[in-house]
Amino acid sequence: MSDNSTITGGRLLVDCLIAQGCDRIFTVPGESFLAVLDALHDSPEIETVICRQEGGAAFMACADGTLTGRPGVCFVTRGPGAANASIGAHVAFQDSQPMLLFIGDVDRGMRDREGFQEVDFATMFAPLAKLVLRIDDPRRIPEYIARAWATAMAGRPGPVVIALPEDMLLEQVADRAPRPAVARPAQAVCPDAMGTLMRMIEDACAPVAIVGGAGWHAKAREHFTGFAERIGLPVAGAFRRQDAVPNSSPAWAGNLGYGPNPKLVERIRNADLVLVVGARLGEATTDSYTLITPDHPGQTLVHVHPDPEELGRVYRPDMAICADMTEFAEAADLWDDDIVPFDAGAEAHAEWLDWSNPKTNGHALDMGQVVAAMRAALPDDAIICNGAGNFSGWWHRYWHYNGFPTQLAPTAGAMGFGVPAAVAAARRYPDRTVIALAGDGDFLMNGQELATAVQYGCDMLVVLVDNGAYGTIRMHQEREFPARVSGTTLHNPDFAALARAFGGWAERVETTEQFTAALAEAKARKGVRLLHLVIDVEQLSAGGASVSGLRARAGK
């Protein structure tokens, strides 16, 4: 903390963040929190990453929270800045990511007059955040920061929004010190509950686990993998939680979400015991609540989650266990059980291996072979970052996520996430390979953050798949209204030239052979690199959907 006996609220706030362990913030600056920026000037403990749009800054904070397990921190200004950043709060909420979103606000004396850029943030963010706070008294800053930090991590992690009146940050305060760092509560699992669960698994004929989500960390991964391998339990990843278990594990059964392996879907439909650990069982994971229905007749559901409010909220659990993910996984791994190992784990893994190895599809630039080439050339701990769009489906199906953390992908399905997430990953893990995956429509949502990547010397590769369309929407359009293309065609810039203009290296790729050579060149370079992959819109999805096929099915 500063040596001065009297300091500004902005200085005290930064000191409190340092005390909680914050070492990086993402921001688009605003005059409403100049006192914070001034305090950051004298705070080498915190790196200030200056971004180009508040949505990109908020996405970076989301990704940083996922990577560290502690709140990612974003600062934006009122009104337009907060509106832009709200997409990050939405993603952090649905993805169960710890995040703090600080918003500079109007002076306290101007409140409720619809002053310049004034918004009622409590109302605006109520459905998007775990908690919305406003600090009107600078003497209470230590209390509020500790509360926000703890709330963001506790139970089901998520975003906390804190409004900061400009004059409050400038007010001088004395005799106030930061509160000590708070830690995420670690709730142990009840031994009786574990004993009951083990007997349920022992009595099951066809059990399956679905894992990944709130509070899932490296230790939870290690212990649950050991438990599943010991008893031969098939383990599926919830939507975009594919790094929850090493994909090389003989218990790994594949991922749920959009376009899953039909054999995995059938395995889950036929399961008599479904063990869900960390996942919410959201719409994407359950195929619109049909793969596993909220009442799941004929199946026994055991739901393990760190937040009691999630248990029983949508699904009727036959057994609900509220516990920290690591505590539960370690208890399972160390439990002295009498379970006779199942053959199902190895069977499910073999089915996934077959499903996840691409066959050639005859296109000049074969996206399945693109992923295969990347698997051969890049390390197991490469961090794959993507936004939303059909382009991501090729990596969801064919990439093998073996390291941790290695997947940054929004379960909320937000476009524009990949490039900002890759910036956050490259800053957090400068020695690891970081890949941003983007479609052409997806990239232009936050492609300007390449400027941020170059400014901070990020070492990252962008793989941009350009089919001249909003491909996912085009696929649905051709299915529902075949041959009536409306609102989905894009006219794009020269993306390679654009990347070079930002200061990166780039190459245009139109064939599979060109991709292999370009990837080797990109791998040999450092800094920001972009491969502009130009494909035909006919190659719509990893599942084999095509424009001509959808039209033929409709008789068009």
Side-chain angles (χ1 to χ4, degrees):
M1 188 172 175
S2 171
D3 292 334
N4 296 330
S5 58
T6 302
I7 59 175
T8 66
R11 175 72 262 172
L12 178 58
L13 188 148
V14 171
D15 288 341
C16 289
L17 287 175
I18 293 171
Q20 294 302 329
C22 174
D23 61 0
R24 181 171 293 121
I25 70 164
F26 305 93
T27 186
V28 175
E31 72 276 9
S32 57
F33 59 97
L34 288 176
V36 172
L37 295 174
D38 183 69
L40 288 167
H41 180 274
D42 300 320
S43 302
E45 302 92 336
I46 297 180
E47 179 188 42
T48 303
V49 178
I50 306 161
C51 306
R52 299 309 178 97
Q53 205 260 10
E54 292 88 355
F59 280 159
M60 291 180 201
C62 291
D64 203 47
T66 296
L67 292 167
T68 65
R70 62 177 187 266
V73 179
C74 179
F75 277 83
V76 301
T77 198
R78 58 195 180 228
N84 285 340
S86 65
I87 189 172
H90 175 58
V91 167
F93 192 88
Q94 290 219 325
D95 285 44
S96 303
Q97 297 166 325
M99 175 192 181
L100 299 186
L101 175 60
F102 290 95
I103 304 172
D105 201 5
V106 298
D107 285 2
R108 290 167 290 184
M110 298 180 185
R111 193 177 179 191
D112 295 332
R113 291 177 173 174
E114 198 184 345
F116 180 61
Q117 299 182 339
E118 182 181 4
V119 173
D120 180 348
F121 295 120
T123 300
M124 175 180 176
F125 284 96
L128 299 178
K130 289 186 71 176
L131 180 66
V132 183
L133 301 170
R134 178 185 173 88
I135 308 178
D136 282 317
D137 183 350
R139 294 173 297 178
R140 296 184 65 185
I141 287 174
E143 170 194 344
Y144 276 109
I145 298 304
R147 180 184 177 190
W149 198 271
T151 301
M153 293 190 296
R156 176 185 169 189
V160 175
V161 176
I162 308 101
L164 306 170
E166 182 178 1
D167 61 323
M168 182 278 296
L169 293 172
L170 292 167
E171 187 174 325
Q172 296 286 324
V173 293
D175 301 323
R176 287 292 183 273
R179 286 191 178 184
V182 298
R184 176 183 170 88
Q187 181 177 344
V189 63
C190 170
D192 290 342
M194 286 301 299
T196 300
L197 171 60
M198 293 303 171
R199 288 191 294 273
M200 294 169 74
I201 295 175
E202 186 177 357
D203 292 339
C205 295
V208 67
I210 301 172
V211 304
W216 197 265
H217 297 301
K219 281 293 183 184
R221 180 184 200 250
E222 175 187 344
H223 285 297
F224 195 85
T225 301
F227 166 67
E229 290 180 356
R230 187 177 79 245
I231 68 170
L233 176 68
V235 181
F239 177 52
R240 291 184 164 175
R241 309 294 193 186
Q242 290 172 246
D243 61 353
V245 165
N247 293 181
S248 58
S249 168
W252 176 250
N255 59 292
L256 296 172
Y258 300 110
N261 184 352
K263 290 185 178 180
L264 174 59
V265 171
E266 192 65 19
R267 182 176 297 277
I268 291 174
R269 289 194 192 281
N270 293 333
D272 57 349
L273 173 65
V274 180
L275 172 61
V276 180
V277 186
R280 291 191 302 113
L281 290 181
E283 178 186 350
T285 296
T286 63
D287 191 15
S288 300
Y289 307 100
T290 62
L291 177 57
I292 303 172
T293 64
D295 287 306
H296 52 88
Q299 288 183 321
T300 298
L301 173 66
V302 178
H303 198 176
V304 186
H305 200 275
D307 196 330
E309 293 188 6
E310 191 62 38
L311 296 168
R313 188 170 73 89
V314 176
Y315 279 81
R316 175 190 61 77
D318 295 285
M319 183 179 187
I321 299 176
C322 185
D324 175 83
M325 293 296 94
T326 299
E327 295 283 336
F328 171 81
E330 183 173 8
D333 192 19
L334 299 177
W335 194 268
D336 186 13
D337 58 68
D338 296 320
I339 298 172
V340 177
F342 298 92
D343 296 329
E347 293 171 357
H349 186 64
E351 291 168 356
W352 172 76
L353 283 173
D354 182 64
W355 173 255
S356 66
N357 283 300
K359 315 298 188 292
T360 57
N361 65 14
H363 289 281
L365 182 50
D366 181 334
M367 289 303 303
Q369 297 308 309
V370 162
V371 182
M374 289 177 63
R375 274 172 41 189
L378 302 177
D380 265 359
D381 68 348
I383 301 174
I384 306 295
C385 315
N386 63 264
N390 270 10
F391 70 90
S392 64
W394 278 284
W395 282 267
H396 291 350
R397 178 169 175 177
Y398 298 126
W399 186 262
H400 292 189
Y401 294 85
N402 284 318
F404 187 84
T406 52
Q407 186 178 41
L408 293 174
T411 66
M415 295 178 71
F417 186 84
V419 170
V423 172
R427 295 304 301 148
R428 187 57 63 187
Y429 291 107
D431 296 326
R432 287 176 61 179
T433 298
V434 176
I435 313 294
L437 308 174
D440 45 344
D442 177 85
F443 177 81
L444 284 179
M445 297 283 183
N446 274 311
Q448 76 284 343
E449 299 303 342
L450 286 186
T452 306
V454 171
Q455 180 172 345
Y456 291 92
C458 293
D459 189 20
M460 53 184 268
L461 171 65
V462 181
V463 177
L464 194 161
V465 183
D466 175 7
N467 63 2
Y470 285 122
T472 305
I473 312 307
R474 175 69 179 275
M475 181 179 71
H476 293 304
Q477 187 174 66
E478 293 286 356
R479 182 181 292 126
E480 301 297 328
F481 303 98
R484 294 179 59 80
V485 181
S486 175
T488 54
T489 301
L490 299 175
H491 176 74
N492 288 319
D494 181 338
F495 287 111
L498 183 62
R500 296 186 195 106
F502 278 110
W505 173 89
E507 190 162 324
R508 180 183 174 97
V509 175
E510 297 183 9
T511 68
T512 306
E513 293 73 21
Q514 287 176 355
F515 177 79
T516 302
L519 179 62
E521 175 71 14
K523 186 180 175 184
R525 293 175 176 269
K526 294 292 185 182
V528 174
R529 294 145 288 155
L530 184 145
L531 297 180
H532 176 195
L533 279 56
V534 182
I535 68 171
D536 194 301
V537 72
E538 176 73 5
Q539 191 178 184
L540 269 178
S541 78
S546 64
V547 173
S548 60
L550 291 171
R551 290 180 178 179
R553 187 182 304 170
K556 296 291 183 179

